[in-house]
Amino acid sequence: MRGALGGPRVLLRRLREVMAEPVSAQEKLDRIVVLIANNMVAEVCSVYVLRADGNLELYATEGLKPEAVHRTVIGSNEGLVGLIASSAEPLALSDAQSHEAFSYKPETGEEIYHSFLGVPILRAGQTLGVLVVQNRAYRVYTEEEIEALQTTTMVIAEMVASGDLQTLAPPGQDIAIRRPMAQRGVALSEGIGLGYVVLHEPRVVVQKLIADDVSVELKRIDDAIAALRARIDSLLARGDVSHSGEHRDVLETVRMFAHDQGWLRRIREAIMTGLTAEGAVERVQSDTRARILRQTDPYLRERLHDLDELANRLLHELSGAAFAAPREELPDNAILVARTMGPAALLDYDRSKLRGLVLEEGGKTSHIAIVARALGIPAVGEIEGVVSLVEPGDAIIVDGLAGEVQIRPQPDVEAAYAEKARLRARAQAKYKRLRKTPSVTKDGVEVTLNMNAGLLVDIPHLAESGASGIGLFRTELQFMVADKLPSASEQQALYEEVLRGAGGAPVTFRTLDIGGDKVLPYMEQMEEENPALGWRAIRIALDRPALLRSQVRALLKAAAGASLRMMFPMVATVDEFLRARALVERERSYLRRHGYREPEKVELGVMVEVPSLLFQLDEICAKADFISVGSNDLMQFLFAADRENRRVSGRFDTLSPGSLRALRHIVRTAGRHGCPATVCGEMSGRPLDAMALIGLGFRALSMPPAAVGPVKQMLLGLEAAPLAGALEEMLADASAATLRPKLEEWAAARSVPLE
Ligand code: PEP
Ligand code: MG
């Protein structure tokens, strides 16, 4: 290579020797710049490190004035160095001073140097700093020299990421990689968790960047790629890919990239500059990330995930490390960080050590979110790129209420969250003490507080919360977290365990509510313009009765000799209920004929969640054994506001006169028919909303387990009769957008505890 002494491989070997010397970080850096300058036959070599404040600080130099070190600070968009940092691209100029971005720093004495080559110091695609060489002569740097300089930045990136350089930073001037960060995403599961990062799919820590023998490394990468291709092929052939959230299409894309010659050639070229196979994979991936991260095209960004996946798998292949995390080694106070994760994988972790979960993907209705909620693990999703923003062991806080994550928090932020978590724990302890207290208002009105559930892990909450029973068991959750359609016997086994776990407390099973936002990965998906108004729940059940029939049979068998409560979702006409009821009757007579023991009692209910039912309530209440208001759906349909669309879901209030009048109509009609009515949507779990429901006349509510304590505390301080009168007055006028402020005022005046 022209101009370089001994080439990049010699340089890398020297750098390795320096890295191993027992000297301070500053001395190492000082020696590194001398080595690079000599090797590249450059008069100047400087390292600029990106600080948390976004500026680039000169950390070491050979050739510029030594007094400029730690004194020269360049803005992130200033000069050539700023340009390299922000573009994450190398820049080679034979006449730097004529470049429009050139900015002169007199204290450095750089005016005598004309040619300039700068490359970004990257790690996982994030810029950590800039490495520059300069020459007096108007020199043209070759492609090989640019490549060689990029390779050497790997070593400096390691030093920055290890935290060694942090010791050189003045107080308050953290370097960028260690900087505290607050990231906002979507709240998936309530609660606050403080702990330390554990990567669900741990990155392989590349121990050795610099090759001893290039030909050995070339062979290693070829072998690893062959092994990886074979592994992916066999995973795909087995068809068993959903356990840890590995979706078939991701693997398919990874397989495609594993055959991409451009990508493989770049890795081989990086090895030729003296890196180990692992070092080369990391370098190429980091460059690719840097480039893609600066694109806004969502398609490209999605491909980045696939490339990350490929690089990660290749590193595992090279290091021989198992791909899945060794679950038993979970430290205390672990916060899992992952791009994506399957529900079964989460259930594999030791729950007692998990304090939180942070995902790059995962919406509120994703399966992992459902499981996190059932396990009571605070979780936040849609934090873009979080896996590459953290290092294992970093302090991290998950705020599953606000949907925020604090990475490497400052002490004051950490203290504030610790206090918030303590207050929550104290409140929880207080609610726990209320567990056995009967849920009766101050004026003696008894209100049954049930809880909602859907998985076996929910069942212990029954005892912990003090709920009287399970008012809504969402049977589709078993289907949603499974890899394949649960068999009839698997369904029966679950229902038996739920009934056993409930120990005689009533359980209301809701039949499969799939479709809409509840998608089963293994069932054929149909594109629907309007899935919430589409083919879902009872509609699927009646059109394809085999599914409902096998579920009903499983429920009847599971409840042999006991009582069974079953209700149907999304019923829109009386006729739909009658058809569902007839199906149950047919299954009962089938079981009778075949000598099975029947449940002692079977009660069939209807969920009131489609507004059309409000005008058929007399018939429904006369025919059903009970009704249960699914207020989540009822409100979305009443107000024509998608419950999953954040722009409109908060627009209409559950406590608006319109919704309260609808609810009043339901409870009154049911009362006239002596048909028990309950509410099982989320509003039941919010103390003020629950108060309004009691005021309207509801005497049974079903809510998330964590809400039972706060709602019970509210009703213990409530007088139901005066509330009913006050609410009646408030409802006489429907002009207000919501009665929330009035109800709050009413509660405050009577010291009804709402928190
Ligand atoms: C509801 O719609 O209020 C309800 C309880 O059902 P889900 O939230 O499961 O749709
Ligand atoms: Mg519903």
Side-chain angles (χ1 to χ4, degrees), residues 472 474 510 513 518 536 569-570 607 609 630-634 636-637 643:
L472 166 64
R474 294 180 161 107
R510 174 179 69 190
D513 186 4
K518 296 164 182 165
R536 50 178 295 198
M570 294 293 294
M607 283 193 79
E609 44 186 0
S631 54
N632 305 336
D633 276 316
L634 183 61
Q636 88 162 336
F637 296 131
R643 62 194 262 194

Side-chain angles (χ1 to χ4, degrees), residues 176-304:
I177 192 146
R178 314 305 307 163
R179 81 168 195 262
M181 266 188 254
Q183 299 280 315
R184 180 172 271 275
V186 174
L188 299 183
S189 171
E190 263 193 23
I192 294 182
L194 290 88
Y196 300 93
V197 170
V198 172
L199 291 179
H200 170 53
E201 283 172 357
R203 276 196 294 270
V204 177
V205 182
V206 176
Q207 306 285 3
K208 197 171 157 209
L209 280 176
I210 302 165
D212 295 324
D213 182 340
V214 166
S215 57
V216 170
E217 298 303 322
L218 285 171
K219 169 135 182 29
R220 287 184 66 225
I221 195 76
D222 286 344
D223 291 349
I225 286 168
L228 177 67
R229 287 176 183 161
R231 195 186 297 269
I232 292 181
D233 286 346
S234 86
L235 262 178
L236 283 167
R238 250 195 5 234
D240 163 30
V241 287
S242 56
H243 181 75
S244 49
E246 295 171 312
H247 293 302
R248 173 165 284 275
D249 48 349
V250 174
L251 283 180
E252 300 272 14
T253 320
V254 168
R255 172 158 68 177
M256 188 184 83
F257 281 121
H259 288 269
D260 181 88
Q261 290 308 318
W263 194 76
L264 298 175
R265 180 175 39 80
R266 280 190 290 140
I267 293 179
R268 290 204 183 94
E269 278 170 5
I271 294 178
M272 297 295 282
T273 65
L275 290 174
T276 55
E278 292 89 335
V281 171
E282 207 166 79
R283 217 208 93 189
V284 169
Q285 183 54 11
S286 190
D287 291 353
T288 312
R289 285 194 120 250
R291 246 179 300 126
I292 299 183
L293 283 174
R294 282 164 180 75
Q295 313 275 336
T296 46
D297 181 349
Y299 175 78
L300 267 180
R301 287 184 155 243
E302 193 48 44
R303 298 288 74 76
L304 177 60

Side-chain angles (χ1 to χ4, degrees), residues 197-205 235 241-247 250-251 254 305-316 321-327 330 335-342 345-346 349 357-361 386-388 390-392:
V197 170
V198 172
L199 291 179
H200 170 53
E201 283 172 357
R203 276 196 294 270
V204 177
V205 182
L235 262 178
V241 287
S242 56
H243 181 75
S244 49
E246 295 171 312
H247 293 302
V250 174
L251 283 180
V254 168
H305 288 320
D306 301 334
L307 275 168
D308 275 344
E309 179 95 18
L310 172 61
N312 199 22
R313 282 177 181 273
L314 202 47
L315 288 174
H316 277 90
F323 193 67
R327 305 288 142 82
L330 207 61
I335 307 258
L336 276 180
V337 178
R339 181 164 73 79
T340 172
M341 195 195 280
L346 182 60
Y349 282 99
L357 172 68
V358 182
L359 299 173
E360 292 190 4
E361 300 179 355
V386 67
V387 171
S388 55
V390 297
E391 295 287 324

